[in-house]
Structures are given as C-alpha cells and as structure tokens.
Amino acid sequence: PIVIIIAVIAAFVSSPFSLFAGAEISSDDGQTDTVPAVAMNLPESVLQYKPIVEKECTEQGIPQYVDVILAIMMQESGGRVADVMQSSASAGLPNNTLQPEASIKQGVKYFKSIMDSAASKGVDFDTSIQAYNYGIGFLDYVKGKGGAYSYQIASQFSDEQAKKLGVSRYGDK
C-alpha cells in the first residue's frame, strides 16, 4: 500500500546507509515482516527537487517531513511531470496545471493542512499520508472507523468513492 511504500522511501532518504537492515514493519493483518536490506533509491527526477522541498517545508514549519514529501512526490509522479506533487486539484485548479516549484509549494501547504486537520480529528499519521492522495474527506472516514489507517479501510473508501462517482477506480489504494 501507499503508506508502506512512502515509509520505506522516507526512511531511506533520511538514512540511506542504515537502510532498514532487519527493520520490522507490521502489516494490516497484524503480521510482522522483516524488510530485507536491499539497495533502494529515489531517482534523480525526484531528488532534484529536494532543495525546493526543504525550503517549502521550512516555510510551512514542517522541516522534519522533507523525506515524507519526497516519498509522496515519488508516489504521485516520480518527478516526471511538471505538477510533481499532483497538487493542482488541491489548489482548485485543473489537474496538472502547476509547474514544479508551484506544485511543491502547494503540495507542502496541502500536506500541512491535512496534518493539522488529522491532529484535530485524532487520526494517525498514516491516515494523513493516504489523505494526500484521497483528499481531506478521508480523515473523517477513518475517524469514523476508529482513527487508525489500515489498507482495508483505505480500500473500502476507494471503492465507495469510485462507486459514488461512477468511475472504475478512485485514488491510489
């Protein structure tokens, strides 16, 4: 799921030499998996934006989330399109409207607003990460289901939204 992918990428970006050797991650079914020590890397297409992400995270008061933002960028676009954070819609603009710097600025601002809202609603951080892709409405959905992210809840939300909107899929489960 997106949350595990982002967690792995974020941890590597912040500490590439320790790289989870023997790290354990709990899955949604309660099982614990050991992540193998393999060489993982963010591509230059994402890393080239790190200075802008650092600047925007600092300005938004969340400098500790640079790696999370880079991981979200990797998931959203791989750094291969102008709207690298896929954040145009969160600014009320048509999809893929923003250029890289404006996309990052909006994406970081949007992520900060999601985190603030998540904190006020009492939902966990993983829910904030998924809400970046699903929209802020996901926070209330998770709150109504106990306040903690799970792949099952994310999948249910996606399926319900797709049905409601008459589309084949909604967001990135």
Side-chain angles (χ1 to χ4, degrees):
I2 188 172
V3 173
I4 291 174
I5 292 168
I6 290 174
V8 169
I9 292 170
F12 176 71
V13 170
S14 65
S15 182
F17 299 108
S18 64
L19 189 59
F20 285 110
E24 293 183 352
I25 293 181
S26 296
S27 61
D28 294 331
D29 61 4
Q31 299 295 315
T32 301
D33 297 321
T34 300
V35 179
V38 296
M40 296 178 63
N41 214 337
L42 287 174
E44 184 57 34
S45 59
V46 170
L47 291 176
Q48 69 179 325
Y49 297 111
K50 187 172 183 175
I52 300 168
V53 171
E54 289 172 333
K55 174 184 172 271
E56 294 303 328
C57 284
T58 298
E59 286 183 11
Q60 287 293 322
I62 56 169
Q64 68 275 32
Y65 294 110
V66 168
D67 297 337
V68 172
I69 296 296
L70 290 170
I72 289 172
M73 183 187 301
M74 180 64 205
Q75 180 66 27
E76 291 291 326
S77 75
R80 295 181 301 267
V81 298
D83 189 359
V84 293
M85 294 296 297
Q86 298 291 285
S87 59
S88 296
S90 69
L93 300 169
N95 287 339
N96 296 314
T97 303
L98 297 174
Q99 293 301 305
E101 191 163 348
S103 177
I104 293 166
K105 184 179 188 88
Q106 176 59 29
V108 171
K109 178 181 171 186
Y110 181 59
F111 186 69
K112 169 84 164 64
S113 73
I114 289 170
M115 287 189 345
D116 290 347
S117 186
S120 73
K121 294 175 185 299
V123 299
D124 66 359
F125 183 71
D126 289 348
T127 299
S128 296
I129 293 172
Q130 185 69 58
Y132 185 90
N133 184 265
Y134 279 177
I136 206 155
F138 184 62
L139 301 176
D140 286 326
Y141 188 84
V142 172
K143 181 178 180 176
K145 304 240 181 233
Y149 171 87
S150 74
Y151 177 76
Q152 180 182 10
I153 291 172
S155 185
Q156 276 180 321
F157 180 83
S158 176
D159 292 346
E160 289 173 18
Q161 292 301 307
K163 185 176 180 181
K164 181 176 161 181
L165 297 170
V167 296
S168 61
R169 64 176 270 206
Y170 181 87
D172 186 347
K173 292 182 184 183

Short mmCIF file of all heavy atoms in Angstrom, two decimals, residues 53-93:
data_model
loop_
_atom_site.label_atom_id
_atom_site.label_comp_id
_atom_site.label_asym_id
_atom_site.label_seq_id
_atom_site.Cartn_x
_atom_site.Cartn_y
_atom_site.Cartn_z
N VAL A 53 11.82 21.41 -1.80
CA VAL A 53 11.00 20.77 -0.76
C VAL A 53 11.49 21.21 0.62
O VAL A 53 10.68 21.54 1.49
CB VAL A 53 11.02 19.23 -0.91
CG1 VAL A 53 10.37 18.55 0.29
CG2 VAL A 53 10.35 18.80 -2.20
N GLU A 54 12.79 21.24 0.83
CA GLU A 54 13.34 21.69 2.12
C GLU A 54 12.92 23.12 2.42
O GLU A 54 12.48 23.43 3.54
CB GLU A 54 14.87 21.59 2.11
CG GLU A 54 15.37 20.17 2.13
CD GLU A 54 16.87 20.03 1.92
OE1 GLU A 54 17.49 20.91 1.28
OE2 GLU A 54 17.42 19.03 2.40
N LYS A 55 13.00 23.98 1.43
CA LYS A 55 12.61 25.39 1.60
C LYS A 55 11.12 25.50 1.96
O LYS A 55 10.76 26.20 2.92
CB LYS A 55 12.89 26.16 0.31
CG LYS A 55 12.41 27.59 0.30
CD LYS A 55 12.67 28.24 -1.07
CE LYS A 55 12.05 29.58 -1.21
NZ LYS A 55 10.67 29.52 -1.72
N GLU A 56 10.28 24.80 1.22
CA GLU A 56 8.84 24.90 1.47
C GLU A 56 8.44 24.26 2.80
O GLU A 56 7.59 24.80 3.51
CB GLU A 56 8.05 24.28 0.31
CG GLU A 56 8.18 25.03 -0.99
CD GLU A 56 7.77 26.49 -0.92
OE1 GLU A 56 6.85 26.84 -0.13
OE2 GLU A 56 8.38 27.31 -1.64
N CYS A 57 9.05 23.15 3.14
CA CYS A 57 8.76 22.52 4.43
C CYS A 57 9.18 23.43 5.58
O CYS A 57 8.46 23.56 6.57
CB CYS A 57 9.45 21.16 4.54
SG CYS A 57 8.64 19.85 3.60
N THR A 58 10.32 24.08 5.44
CA THR A 58 10.78 25.02 6.48
C THR A 58 9.79 26.19 6.60
O THR A 58 9.41 26.57 7.70
CB THR A 58 12.20 25.53 6.16
OG1 THR A 58 13.08 24.40 6.16
CG2 THR A 58 12.67 26.55 7.18
N GLU A 59 9.38 26.73 5.46
CA GLU A 59 8.42 27.85 5.48
C GLU A 59 7.08 27.46 6.09
O GLU A 59 6.43 28.28 6.73
CB GLU A 59 8.23 28.42 4.08
CG GLU A 59 9.43 29.23 3.61
CD GLU A 59 9.24 29.86 2.24
OE1 GLU A 59 8.11 29.87 1.72
OE2 GLU A 59 10.25 30.36 1.70
N GLN A 60 6.67 26.22 5.91
CA GLN A 60 5.40 25.75 6.47
C GLN A 60 5.55 25.24 7.91
O GLN A 60 4.57 24.82 8.52
CB GLN A 60 4.81 24.64 5.59
CG GLN A 60 4.23 25.13 4.29
CD GLN A 60 2.99 25.99 4.48
OE1 GLN A 60 2.16 25.75 5.36
NE2 GLN A 60 2.88 27.01 3.67
N GLY A 61 6.78 25.24 8.41
CA GLY A 61 7.00 24.81 9.79
C GLY A 61 7.03 23.30 9.98
O GLY A 61 6.82 22.80 11.08
N ILE A 62 7.32 22.57 8.89
CA ILE A 62 7.37 21.11 8.99
C ILE A 62 8.67 20.57 8.36
O ILE A 62 8.62 19.64 7.54
CB ILE A 62 6.12 20.45 8.35
CG1 ILE A 62 5.94 20.88 6.89
CG2 ILE A 62 4.88 20.74 9.18
CD1 ILE A 62 4.90 20.07 6.13
N PRO A 63 9.82 21.11 8.76
CA PRO A 63 11.06 20.66 8.12
C PRO A 63 11.37 19.18 8.34
O PRO A 63 12.09 18.57 7.55
CB PRO A 63 12.13 21.54 8.76
CG PRO A 63 11.55 21.93 10.09
CD PRO A 63 10.07 22.06 9.83
N GLN A 64 10.80 18.58 9.36
CA GLN A 64 11.03 17.17 9.65
C GLN A 64 10.33 16.24 8.65
O GLN A 64 10.58 15.04 8.65
CB GLN A 64 10.60 16.82 11.08
CG GLN A 64 9.11 16.88 11.34
CD GLN A 64 8.57 18.26 11.70
OE1 GLN A 64 9.06 19.29 11.25
NE2 GLN A 64 7.53 18.28 12.54
N TYR A 65 9.51 16.80 7.76
CA TYR A 65 8.76 15.96 6.81
C TYR A 65 9.27 16.05 5.38
O TYR A 65 8.59 15.62 4.45
CB TYR A 65 7.27 16.30 6.87
CG TYR A 65 6.67 15.93 8.21
CD1 TYR A 65 6.27 16.90 9.10
CD2 TYR A 65 6.57 14.59 8.58
CE1 TYR A 65 5.75 16.55 10.34
CE2 TYR A 65 6.05 14.24 9.82
CZ TYR A 65 5.65 15.23 10.69
OH TYR A 65 5.15 14.87 11.90
N VAL A 66 10.48 16.55 5.18
CA VAL A 66 11.06 16.63 3.84
C VAL A 66 11.05 15.26 3.18
O VAL A 66 10.63 15.11 2.02
CB VAL A 66 12.49 17.22 3.88
CG1 VAL A 66 13.21 17.02 2.54
CG2 VAL A 66 12.45 18.69 4.26
N ASP A 67 11.50 14.25 3.89
CA ASP A 67 11.58 12.91 3.30
C ASP A 67 10.20 12.35 2.97
O ASP A 67 10.02 11.65 1.97
CB ASP A 67 12.32 11.97 4.23
CG ASP A 67 13.76 12.39 4.44
OD1 ASP A 67 14.32 13.12 3.59
OD2 ASP A 67 14.34 11.99 5.46
N VAL A 68 9.22 12.65 3.79
CA VAL A 68 7.85 12.19 3.51
C VAL A 68 7.34 12.87 2.24
O VAL A 68 6.74 12.22 1.38
CB VAL A 68 6.92 12.47 4.71
CG1 VAL A 68 5.46 12.18 4.36
CG2 VAL A 68 7.35 11.66 5.92
N ILE A 69 7.59 14.16 2.10
CA ILE A 69 7.15 14.89 0.91
C ILE A 69 7.83 14.32 -0.34
O ILE A 69 7.19 14.12 -1.37
CB ILE A 69 7.41 16.40 1.05
CG1 ILE A 69 6.58 17.00 2.20
CG2 ILE A 69 7.15 17.13 -0.27
CD1 ILE A 69 5.07 16.94 2.01
N LEU A 70 9.12 14.04 -0.24
CA LEU A 70 9.82 13.44 -1.39
C LEU A 70 9.23 12.07 -1.73
O LEU A 70 9.08 11.73 -2.91
CB LEU A 70 11.32 13.32 -1.11
CG LEU A 70 12.08 14.64 -1.08
CD1 LEU A 70 13.50 14.41 -0.57
CD2 LEU A 70 12.10 15.31 -2.45
N ALA A 71 8.88 11.31 -0.72
CA ALA A 71 8.27 10.00 -0.95
C ALA A 71 6.89 10.14 -1.59
O ALA A 71 6.53 9.38 -2.50
CB ALA A 71 8.19 9.22 0.36
N ILE A 72 6.12 11.12 -1.13
CA ILE A 72 4.81 11.37 -1.76
C ILE A 72 5.01 11.78 -3.22
O ILE A 72 4.30 11.31 -4.10
CB ILE A 72 4.02 12.45 -0.97
CG1 ILE A 72 3.55 11.88 0.38
CG2 ILE A 72 2.84 12.95 -1.79
CD1 ILE A 72 2.94 12.90 1.32
N MET A 73 6.00 12.63 -3.48
CA MET A 73 6.29 13.04 -4.85
C MET A 73 6.61 11.80 -5.70
O MET A 73 6.15 11.69 -6.84
CB MET A 73 7.46 14.02 -4.90
CG MET A 73 7.75 14.53 -6.31
SD MET A 73 9.25 15.54 -6.42
CE MET A 73 8.92 16.86 -5.28
N MET A 74 7.40 10.91 -5.16
CA MET A 74 7.74 9.69 -5.89
C MET A 74 6.48 8.91 -6.23
O MET A 74 6.31 8.45 -7.37
CB MET A 74 8.71 8.84 -5.07
CG MET A 74 9.13 7.57 -5.74
SD MET A 74 10.06 7.90 -7.24
CE MET A 74 9.74 6.40 -8.14
N GLN A 75 5.60 8.77 -5.28
CA GLN A 75 4.36 8.02 -5.49
C GLN A 75 3.43 8.74 -6.47
O GLN A 75 2.81 8.12 -7.32
CB GLN A 75 3.64 7.80 -4.16
CG GLN A 75 2.35 7.04 -4.27
CD GLN A 75 2.54 5.60 -4.71
OE1 GLN A 75 3.58 5.01 -4.47
NE2 GLN A 75 1.54 5.04 -5.35
N GLU A 76 3.34 10.05 -6.34
CA GLU A 76 2.40 10.82 -7.16
C GLU A 76 2.85 10.95 -8.61
O GLU A 76 2.03 10.87 -9.52
CB GLU A 76 2.17 12.21 -6.57
CG GLU A 76 1.41 12.21 -5.26
CD GLU A 76 -0.05 11.80 -5.41
OE1 GLU A 76 -0.67 12.11 -6.45
OE2 GLU A 76 -0.57 11.17 -4.49
N SER A 77 4.16 11.19 -8.84
CA SER A 77 4.59 11.48 -10.22
C SER A 77 5.95 10.91 -10.60
O SER A 77 6.32 10.94 -11.77
CB SER A 77 4.64 12.99 -10.43
OG SER A 77 5.78 13.54 -9.78
N GLY A 78 6.71 10.47 -9.60
CA GLY A 78 8.07 10.06 -9.89
C GLY A 78 8.93 11.22 -10.34
O GLY A 78 10.04 11.02 -10.84
N GLY A 79 8.43 12.45 -10.18
CA GLY A 79 9.16 13.64 -10.60
C GLY A 79 9.21 13.81 -12.11
O GLY A 79 9.99 14.57 -12.64
N ARG A 80 8.35 13.08 -12.82
CA ARG A 80 8.41 13.06 -14.28
C ARG A 80 7.43 13.97 -15.00
O ARG A 80 7.38 13.97 -16.22
CB ARG A 80 8.23 11.62 -14.77
CG ARG A 80 9.36 10.69 -14.35
CD ARG A 80 9.16 9.28 -14.86
NE ARG A 80 7.93 8.67 -14.40
CZ ARG A 80 7.83 7.93 -13.30
NH1 ARG A 80 8.87 7.71 -12.55
NH2 ARG A 80 6.67 7.41 -12.96
N VAL A 81 6.61 14.70 -14.28
CA VAL A 81 5.69 15.65 -14.90
C VAL A 81 5.85 16.99 -14.20
O VAL A 81 6.41 17.08 -13.11
CB VAL A 81 4.22 15.17 -14.81
CG1 VAL A 81 4.02 13.86 -15.54
CG2 VAL A 81 3.76 15.05 -13.37
N ALA A 82 5.39 18.05 -14.84
CA ALA A 82 5.56 19.39 -14.28
C ALA A 82 4.90 19.52 -12.90
O ALA A 82 5.48 20.07 -11.97
CB ALA A 82 5.01 20.45 -15.24
N ASP A 83 3.69 19.00 -12.76
CA ASP A 83 2.98 19.07 -11.48
C ASP A 83 3.46 17.90 -10.62
O ASP A 83 2.75 16.93 -10.37
CB ASP A 83 1.47 19.00 -11.72
CG ASP A 83 0.64 19.29 -10.48
OD1 ASP A 83 1.22 19.52 -9.39
OD2 ASP A 83 -0.60 19.28 -10.59
N VAL A 84 4.71 18.02 -10.15
CA VAL A 84 5.40 16.91 -9.49
C VAL A 84 4.69 16.38 -8.25
O VAL A 84 4.82 15.21 -7.91
CB VAL A 84 6.87 17.27 -9.14
CG1 VAL A 84 7.69 17.44 -10.40
CG2 VAL A 84 6.96 18.49 -8.24
N MET A 85 3.94 17.23 -7.57
CA MET A 85 3.20 16.80 -6.38
C MET A 85 1.74 16.48 -6.70
O MET A 85 0.98 16.14 -5.81
CB MET A 85 3.25 17.88 -5.29
CG MET A 85 4.62 18.14 -4.69
SD MET A 85 5.31 16.73 -3.80
CE MET A 85 4.14 16.52 -2.47
N GLN A 86 1.36 16.62 -7.98
CA GLN A 86 -0.02 16.40 -8.38
C GLN A 86 -0.95 17.19 -7.46
O GLN A 86 -1.95 16.67 -6.96
CB GLN A 86 -0.36 14.91 -8.38
CG GLN A 86 0.47 14.10 -9.36
CD GLN A 86 0.13 14.41 -10.81
OE1 GLN A 86 -0.90 13.98 -11.31
NE2 GLN A 86 0.97 15.18 -11.48
N SER A 87 -0.61 18.45 -7.23
CA SER A 87 -1.32 19.26 -6.24
C SER A 87 -2.23 20.32 -6.84
O SER A 87 -2.81 21.11 -6.11
CB SER A 87 -0.31 19.92 -5.29
OG SER A 87 0.59 20.75 -6.02
N SER A 88 -2.39 20.34 -8.15
CA SER A 88 -3.25 21.35 -8.78
C SER A 88 -4.67 21.32 -8.23
O SER A 88 -5.25 22.36 -7.92
CB SER A 88 -3.27 21.16 -10.29
OG SER A 88 -2.01 21.36 -10.85
N ALA A 89 -5.23 20.11 -8.12
CA ALA A 89 -6.62 19.99 -7.66
C ALA A 89 -6.79 20.54 -6.25
O ALA A 89 -7.82 21.17 -5.95
CB ALA A 89 -7.08 18.54 -7.72
N SER A 90 -5.79 20.36 -5.39
CA SER A 90 -5.91 20.87 -4.02
C SER A 90 -5.87 22.39 -3.97
O SER A 90 -6.25 23.00 -2.98
CB SER A 90 -4.81 20.29 -3.12
OG SER A 90 -3.55 20.80 -3.46
N ALA A 91 -5.44 23.01 -5.08
CA ALA A 91 -5.44 24.47 -5.19
C ALA A 91 -6.67 24.95 -5.95
O ALA A 91 -6.80 26.14 -6.24
CB ALA A 91 -4.17 24.94 -5.91
N GLY A 92 -7.57 24.03 -6.29
CA GLY A 92 -8.78 24.39 -7.02
C GLY A 92 -8.54 24.61 -8.51
O GLY A 92 -9.33 25.26 -9.18
N LEU A 93 -7.45 24.05 -9.02
CA LEU A 93 -7.09 24.21 -10.44
C LEU A 93 -7.31 22.90 -11.19
O LEU A 93 -7.35 21.84 -10.58
CB LEU A 93 -5.62 24.61 -10.55
CG LEU A 93 -5.21 25.91 -9.87
CD1 LEU A 93 -3.69 26.04 -9.82
CD2 LEU A 93 -5.84 27.10 -10.59
#
